[in-house]
Amino acid sequence: MLDAFGFKLPTEIIGAPGAARDLANISKRFGEKPLFVYPVQLADLAVTYLQMLKDAGVTVVAFEQAEPEPTIDYIDGAASDLKDQGIDVVIGFGGGSAMDLAKALAIALTQKEGIWMYANLSNRPPLPLEGAVLPVITVPTTSGTGSEVTPYAVLTKPDTQQKGTIQEPAIFPRVAIIDAELMTGMPSDLTASTGLDAFAHALEATINVSKQAPMSELFGKEAMKLVFANLKGAISQPNNMEYRQNMALAAALAGMAISHRGTTTAHAIAEPLGALTHIPHGLGVTISTVPVLRYTIEGAPEGLASLWREVCLGEKLESEGMEATAFVDALNALITEVGMNKTVETIIGKGKCQGLDERLIDSIMKFKFRPLKQHPVEFDAKSLRPIVRDIIWGSK
Ligand SMILES: [Fe+2]
């Protein structure tokens, strides 16, 4: 049977170094009063762009994001503070969580219920949106999340240590201003972990078995090639614009890939891992990917074998199992070379991981069973256990 294909991306992408200097003109397309959301860590950089907006006659409302991964209470509180300000458009300036916060506020500022009710959880559907939400403009300062081109916003619910995702076409950004100059300020470990998060998006969208999506596979394979070819250079030469631009393109391609065919098991593990340990998303995904893939080789080597041939341009080997192993080894070598070959224990410290394996498995099975089903091999609590232990403590 022939593969069906289709694609819809209502996001205008402007991907050029220096493009963010046109932010005021782009913002004015959507109204007079933007809300400019940025993380506190980027306050110095944000001041420059806030001043540019003011100099262009824009009445901008600045919102400094204090929480690295905003909780639903934080979002609802911010929305009630901002509701009477007459905001026309929300600008998300920063990494994934600033852009996700901008998207969440675009909903929270226009809808009646608390933001958690709009998350699409494995165990319940979201409330439908009523009327229009505010338009969103994204200006990423990292190259990894892909949030600049997705209809997703990840939320944290602290009382149940749970992460949930809003999946609404209405929050597809109207414009993504992808300015690689903004990415030169990223430290090497952030460049590495976000770049490998982009790789995981590309990989998971490509091997996802949930539906036909040849265009996602096309974007995913190209994004993986770009990460293999450019990540080390972006780290060793942080001001080299060619490497930064190629990583920005990889992140956007991978984001478009997951916007049409979502993530699978490494993300299903990394999200609850982040909620339980506060390990940043990109790092959690990076340390989860290889243990998941090693297990995948046993049950479904064919997809990974084809990536050995098509992404790594590797020579034909004796069996699919050997080709799949060669692909995973190549990825593991990249992860090691950029200093990301870590375990949960090496990140959060010895003695802080007691019982974490069972809590993590519980959380995955309770809240993330849907993305698990999209993986080429099936997982249950029993088969997850050795993988989760490998992620936490390393293979013995
Ligand atoms: Fe991710």
Side-chain angles (χ1 to χ4, degrees):
M1 194 164 93
L2 293 174
D3 283 355
F5 60 88
F7 206 80
K8 182 180 180 185
L9 188 80
T11 304
E12 177 187 352
I13 298 171
I14 304 171
R21 288 196 282 276
D22 201 29
L23 178 59
N25 284 330
I26 294 164
S27 174
K28 281 179 185 175
R29 288 193 218 158
F30 302 98
E32 293 303 312
K33 200 170 188 184
L35 175 69
F36 186 91
V37 178
Y38 64 94
V40 62
Q41 295 84 353
L42 292 182
D44 291 347
L45 185 62
V47 163
T48 308
Y49 287 88
L50 282 165
Q51 193 57 49
M52 260 185 231
L53 287 161
K54 287 175 193 162
D55 291 346
V58 175
T59 311
V60 58
V61 177
F63 184 85
E64 188 169 275
Q65 173 197 341
E67 290 193 3
E69 294 188 351
T71 62
I72 55 173
D73 295 339
Y74 185 78
I75 295 164
D76 288 336
S80 76
D81 291 347
L82 293 162
K83 225 159 197 167
D84 301 326
Q85 299 244 15
I87 304 291
D88 294 315
V89 50
V90 189
I91 300 168
F93 180 96
S97 68
M99 291 187 280
D100 284 6
L101 175 58
K103 292 173 181 174
L105 287 171
I107 289 178
L109 287 167
T110 54
Q111 304 296 312
K112 291 195 202 97
E113 301 298 328
I115 194 68
W116 187 245
M117 296 310 295
Y118 302 96
N120 187 10
L121 306 176
S122 284
N123 50 350
R124 69 135 172 84
L127 269 188
L129 297 174
E130 288 181 25
V133 306
L134 292 176
V136 173
I137 297 171
T138 46
V139 188
T141 59
T142 63
S143 46
T145 164
S147 184
E148 60 272 24
V149 292
T150 70
Y152 306 138
V154 178
L155 312 172
T156 300
K157 189 169 186 285
D159 60 339
T160 51
Q161 295 183 304
Q162 188 180 357
K163 291 211 176 192
T165 305
I166 300 174
Q167 304 173 349
E168 282 292 348
I171 55 168
F172 257 122
R174 300 289 190 88
V175 185
I177 306 172
I178 306 175
D179 180 347
E181 281 180 8
L182 294 173
M183 296 158 195
T184 58
M186 265 193 289
S188 58
D189 58 345
L190 190 61
T191 301
S193 62
T194 54
L196 290 164
D197 184 31
F199 188 97
H201 297 156
L203 170 72
E204 293 179 34
T206 305
I207 63 173
N208 183 318
V209 294
S210 64
K211 61 183 176 191
Q212 292 178 335
M215 291 189 186
S216 282
E217 292 179 21
L218 184 70
F219 288 158
K221 287 172 190 168
E222 185 59 26
M224 283 186 267
K225 282 185 194 170
L226 284 166
V227 175
F228 269 128
N230 293 280
L231 181 59
K232 282 187 275 178
I235 291 167
S236 62
Q237 297 175 49
N239 294 315
N240 180 309
M241 290 309 300
E242 195 175 326
Y243 291 132
R244 290 294 189 187
Q245 177 80 345
N246 284 336
M247 285 304 299
L249 174 59
L253 288 171
M256 288 192 279
I258 51 167
S259 73
H260 284 66
R261 191 157 66 172
T263 55
T264 63
T265 302
H267 272 75
I269 294 172
E271 287 188 2
L273 178 65
L276 290 167
T277 63
H278 304 294
I279 289 178
H281 173 78
L283 185 54
V285 169
T286 298
I287 65 173
S288 301
T289 297
V290 168
V292 167
L293 294 185
R294 294 260 184 241
Y295 180 84
T296 307
I297 294 169
E298 293 166 31
E302 56 282 353
L304 298 174
S306 74
L307 297 182
W308 167 247
R309 295 189 299 271
E310 293 176 42
V311 172
C312 299
L313 306 179
E315 60 186 15
K316 191 156 176 41
L317 300 176
E318 272 174 43
S319 68
E320 284 187 329
M322 287 171 76
E323 290 178 341
T325 301
F327 174 76
V328 178
D329 286 347
L331 174 60
N332 196 41
L334 175 65
I335 290 172
T336 304
E337 282 177 71
V338 298
M340 289 287 127
N341 194 356
K342 302 179 182 198
T343 61
V344 174
E345 190 178 49
T346 61
I347 297 166
I348 67 172
K350 275 199 165 163
K352 292 191 179 163
C353 302
Q354 217 171 8
L356 179 60
D357 50 348
E358 294 306 321
R359 280 186 287 138
L360 181 53
I361 292 164
D362 273 358
S363 189
I364 297 164
M365 297 312 295
K366 215 187 286 174
F367 302 131
K368 290 287 167 189
F369 53 82
R370 199 165 50 201
L372 281 187
K373 288 202 181 90
Q374 302 181 156
H375 201 81
V377 292
E378 275 190 37
F379 288 102
D380 55 19
K382 189 165 173 257
S383 56
L384 276 173
R385 193 160 288 119
I387 298 168
V388 161
R389 288 180 177 167
D390 192 2
I391 293 165
I392 296 173
W393 292 288
S395 46
K396 298 284 181 284

